[in-house]
Amino acid sequence: MAGSGRFFEDFIVGDVIRHATPRTVTVGDVAMYQGLYGDRFVVQSSDAFARRIGYPRSPVSDLITFHVVFGKTVPDVSLNAFANLGYAAGKFLLPVYPGDTLVSTSEVIGVRPTSKGDAGVVWVRTRGVRSDGASVLDYVRWVLVRMQGGRPVQETVVPELPSVVDPSELGAACPRIETSAWDDAEAGSTRRFDDYEVGEKIDHVDGMTVEEAEHQLATRLWQNTAKVHFDGFAQKSSKIGRRLVYGGHVISLARGLSFNGLENAFHVAGINGGRHVAPIHAGDTLYAWSEILDKQPIPGRDDVGALRVRMTGVKDFSTAGFPRTGEDGKDHPNVVLDLDLWLLLPR
Amino acid sequence: MAGSGRFFEDFIVGDVIRHATPRTVTVGDVAMYQGLYGDRFVVQSSDAFARRIGYPRSPVSDLITFHVVFGKTVPDVSLNAFANLGYAAGKFLLPVYPGDTLVSTSEVIGVRPTSKGDAGVVWVRTRGVRSDGASVLDYVRWVLVRMQGGRPVQETVVPELPSVVDPSELGAACPRIETSAWDDAEAGSTRRFDDYEVGEKIDHVDGMTVEEAEHQLATRLWQNTAKVHFDGFAQKSSKIGRRLVYGGHVISLARGLSFNGLENAFHVAGINGGRHVAPIHAGDTLYAWSEILDKQPIPGRDDVGALRVRMTGVKDFSTAGFPRTGEDGKDHPNVVLDLDLWLLLPR
Amino acid sequence: MAGSGRFFEDFIVGDVIRHATPRTVTVGDVAMYQGLYGDRFVVQSSDAFARRIGYPRSPVSDLITFHVVFGKTVPDVSLNAFANLGYAAGKFLLPVYPGDTLVSTSEVIGVRPTSKGDAGVVWVRTRGVRSDGASVLDYVRWVLVRMQGGRPVQETVVPELPSVVDPSELGAACPRIETSAWDDAEAGSTRRFDDYEVGEKIDHVDGMTVEEAEHQLATRLWQNTAKVHFDGFAQKSSKIGRRLVYGGHVISLARGLSFNGLENAFHVAGINGGRHVAPIHAGDTLYAWSEILDKQPIPGRDDVGALRVRMTGVKDFSTAGFPRTGEDGKDHPNVVLDLDLWLLLPR
């Protein structure tokens, strides 16, 4: 039935799913994104700044690209998912501008039934493609999908995934920039690539309380149809009793907060890994902190360098102490997001 | 006094009211609409798709046109209305694109005082007009308007209204489309006009919980000023005790939900009739189902055909059983919307 | 630390602060503004109307300009403010159109420690500048800023501020308009400049209940980062126990409501003064009324005249009796906003 989605048994390794509803991104989306997340990264905010450093105009936030590409996959991939387990091998391949139309395809690259036998893990490699055929984003995610039951189950295939995206693959989505035209005062900080140190921890200080109307607006904006985000009536009879916030909403909130301390990290270039450690709900307040895991030049580029940043989202708890692991060695009970990104900064 | 609206006695059959505030529709409105309703109909979502089938770019959702045209009438027609009783004879006459400026006029075509004598029914034919004078939408609605009292009352005039819009009038707002360029995978379904059957019932499956912030954003977006939607303080002393959701918000939510099963029904071409059966409030979850009442070719067109669809909006109740009438033969207590539309699909 | 803001001791008279994050204004912002405030002023709503009277297209609402310029100052000026005390000498200097990029600078023009010694008043003159260097807005505000303590304190400097902006400075942001092309029916009223009288009081009638999601969307849209608007978790341990609504949100709501009775007051030309008399919170309903304090021609202009309007925002209380002062001679307990504006109207 339309709207009922695929079950675990429907995923065959090697199948490529063309997802519905190509979508033209516009300055309207940019304004909605701004209202939802309050971003202050200058390249995406100012056409004038973007032109001075070498863009034809402001590209949209990399996470707009991510949400648009991701949203399309939901009706086909995760409508019957219990959980969104992880991300890997994410690479932004081209800047996206207002007026570009994006569509997504997903290739099934792995399946593994759980031992309990009522669900299985499905790995898909999703590609976001512009209407002229150029790829703009490529990433792998894996989800725990319900089994329908009474049907044959695929043999287990577990894909090999890189633990980190190679820095040589990070420059594609960013044109060569004119660093001498980069105005630190406008950008909000004098700290550039060379000023960060591996091991450094950054408290992003601010917090943002989530409202039902906000995460619903966000999730619909990206044509993400997962029922758990919208159907408060059905959720009343779920274990959790209420609507869940789309994980991508949390990612964008954390990215917005991270401006405090990562002002010049203007481009999300890669997603090495990521986990939604715990759900968040309306009324929760999100904080975030980051740890610099690595810093690497981009081969052939002297204009930008890449910081590998582990960004931690925390709810209803101060980030001053950089919480991540609890006393029991497991995830800290207030941690909701653990995201491993490559961010580009001017040198 | 400015902002106090017309009373029943102020409506004279034959009068034409030019409504205030022409409004330029933009991609900003399209993004807001997307965030509010999560639409996935491909022609309105993708400029690239729209161009391939013969549009110059994506037209805006037909319901954006409806809301903009309708909103302007509120300060003049329904500010003192107890209820929005019905719609008929609605025809979309031209596609509307970002950049078009719309304004509305309403002709009073009927008045009938109620027996109780404190109110009366007013019928208006509203026309949405582009700034170059071309009509984009034409519909009749009738509302129950408060009497001011102590003033002469018009003689009753009840207009004759068609029970259904003639299919020959439905093609105007849709250019000839290139059906061979219609990509079913992008559109989300292989079911085209010929694949639906009269009598078929479609459960749209998903539900959407309404928040105060959402319906307020929507209603203000269309410059609809009806107090009952916004003034929670005054509503506390009303019979219902709280804000009412704008009926058009419910229509757009139902239309958005109807993508599940009506993926290729890309164009709302006519409104044969419609009733807001019961109000909805923040916190209610809307579901929808549709019944195919009729299917007709469009004279002179082999590219598109029209499905007559009765769309039923239901709150806090499953649509799996297609609820419409209760055990007592009256409206089912959870039904909130009963809308009779012509929808165009590719053949 | 990034995101921790300046303290009273950091403000040195004569210093000019270049604020971060220039921002390109778009039709997306216009749509968000429309959804948030429901404005009906015709010049900002209709490109067609704007062109007929002499604009190249619709300018954005003057308050969009204000919010964008103001928002940038928050991280540098008022992150550690206890209160936003007042505005003066505000002049709109050029119309702003979608596509324009704005940035702000603030000059510190006064400082005065409080007698208690834990805070001080800081006066700044903020200038909004387009990317080509042209000024679009100039205003003074003063805030009560926390002292960090243990540091030397500046000598008191209190700037002289005009009690009213001179009418000769009001025409700049409005091109010469073709009043014969001004269509009163489209604008919503036949009352023009000459039809208002000094001393006249206008009840704006309608009310608008504020939601958390709405003021958060608004405040983030303008990149205003004041914590008190967003961080519900931290606010729980504040004296007030909850999030505060951004004062600018209240100004825009009042301006939107003021259409009832000030339909043709299409341009906010000057801000003579203003006070946020009391905070508002989600759930409060805002009403507004206005008093005409003065009316003046604009030197050299026969197309528009300026009304000096004192706009009063009131929460959860009828404006029918024009509340401003309580029985004790102090501010009426329900008054939240007291704003003294110059508004332009066609003659």
Side-chain angles (χ1 to χ4, degrees), chain C residues 240-319:
Chain C
I240 204 128
R242 52 190 304 207
R243 283 166 276 176
L244 296 181
V245 173
Y246 160 48
H249 191 61
V250 179
I251 293 176
S252 276
L253 284 170
R255 167 75 177 153
L257 294 169
S258 77
F259 181 83
N260 288 338
L262 287 169
E263 294 83 354
N264 281 328
F266 71 104
H267 177 38
V268 179
I271 304 173
N272 297 309
R275 270 191 317 139
H276 296 291
V277 178
I280 87 163
H281 304 94
D284 291 345
T285 300
L286 187 78
Y287 301 89
W289 68 274
S290 291
E291 180 179 0
I292 311 299
L293 296 184
D294 194 6
K295 51 186 293 189
Q296 292 292 337
I298 306 294
R301 298 280 293 257
D302 58 5
D303 55 337
V304 291
L307 289 187
R308 185 175 173 192
V309 173
R310 187 170 178 185
M311 189 176 287
T312 303
V314 182
K315 76 175 175 191
D316 296 348
F317 196 83
S318 168
T319 42

Side-chain angles (χ1 to χ4, degrees), chain B residues 86-165:
Chain B
Y87 306 99
K91 291 172 286 186
F92 291 85
L93 301 168
L94 272 179
V96 172
Y97 299 100
D100 287 352
T101 299
L102 304 183
V103 70
S104 309
T105 60
S106 293
E107 181 182 353
V108 181
I109 60 168
V111 292
R112 185 180 64 199
T114 58
S115 55
K116 210 173 157 195
D118 62 342
V121 180
V122 174
W123 284 261
V124 295
R125 179 183 300 278
T126 295
R127 187 157 292 161
V129 181
R130 214 167 51 189
S131 54
D132 63 358
S135 290
V136 298
L137 172 64
D138 203 326
Y139 68 91
V140 172
R141 79 164 166 141
W142 52 107
V143 289
L144 184 65
V145 181
R146 201 182 308 260
M147 272 186 203
Q148 196 166 27
R151 294 170 54 189
V153 159
Q154 309 304 308
E155 260 183 58
T156 293
V157 176
V158 175
E160 266 188 64
L161 294 172
S163 62
V164 60
V165 175

Side-chain angles (χ1 to χ4, degrees), chain B residues 41 45 98 121 178 191 219 238 310 318 341:
Chain B
F41 298 100
S45 178
V121 180
E178 191 58 59
R191 294 195 80 192
T219 311
S238 73
R310 188 170 177 185
S318 168
L341 301 172

Side-chain angles (χ1 to χ4, degrees), chain A residues 66 70 84-90 139-142 161-162 246-248 251 271-276 337-340:
Chain A
F66 176 77
F70 181 100
N84 199 8
L85 299 174
Y87 306 99
Y139 69 92
V140 172
R141 80 163 163 141
W142 52 107
L161 295 171
Y246 160 47
I251 293 175
I271 303 172
N272 297 309
R275 270 192 318 139
H276 295 292
L337 177 71
D338 187 357
L339 198 59
D340 179 345

Side-chain angles (χ1 to χ4, degrees), chain B residues 1-4 18-29 32 72 75 79 99 101 103 131 212-214 216-218 220-223 225 227 230-234 236 243, chain C residues 27-28 31-32 34-42 45-49 183 185-188 203 205-209 211 213-214 217 253 259-261 263 285 287 316-318:
Chain B
M1 185 171 57
S4 57
R18 291 181 60 210
H19 304 297
T21 321
R23 188 171 181 300
T24 303
V25 176
T26 72
V27 293
D29 298 311
M32 289 285 282
K72 297 180 192 336
L79 213 57
T101 299
V103 70
S131 54
E212 300 280 15
E214 294 170 356
Q216 292 197 151
L217 281 170
R220 285 184 300 238
L221 186 62
W222 320 121
Q223 299 172 316
T225 62
K227 300 163 200 294
F230 303 115
D231 187 339
F233 184 73
K236 267 186 210 156
R243 284 166 276 175
Chain C
V27 292
M32 288 285 283
Q34 185 62 49
L36 288 161
Y37 306 114
D39 265 22
R40 288 177 285 152
F41 298 100
V42 68
S45 178
S46 167
D47 279 340
F49 189 102
D183 181 331
E186 289 201 344
D203 180 4
V205 179
D206 289 339
M208 194 66 74
T209 304
E211 299 294 323
E214 293 170 357
L217 281 170
L253 284 170
F259 181 83
N260 288 338
E263 294 83 354
T285 300
Y287 301 89
D316 296 348
F317 196 83
S318 168

Side-chain angles (χ1 to χ4, degrees), chain A residues 273-290:
Chain A
R275 270 192 318 139
H276 295 292
V277 179
I280 87 163
H281 304 95
D284 291 345
T285 300
L286 187 79
Y287 301 88
W289 68 275
S290 290

Side-chain angles (χ1 to χ4, degrees), chain B residues 329-347:
Chain B
K330 295 181 185 168
D331 294 319
H332 186 287
N334 293 73
V335 166
V336 295
L337 177 71
D338 187 356
L339 199 59
D340 179 345
L341 301 172
W342 280 118
L343 303 176
L344 296 197
L345 289 87
R347 303 192 68 156

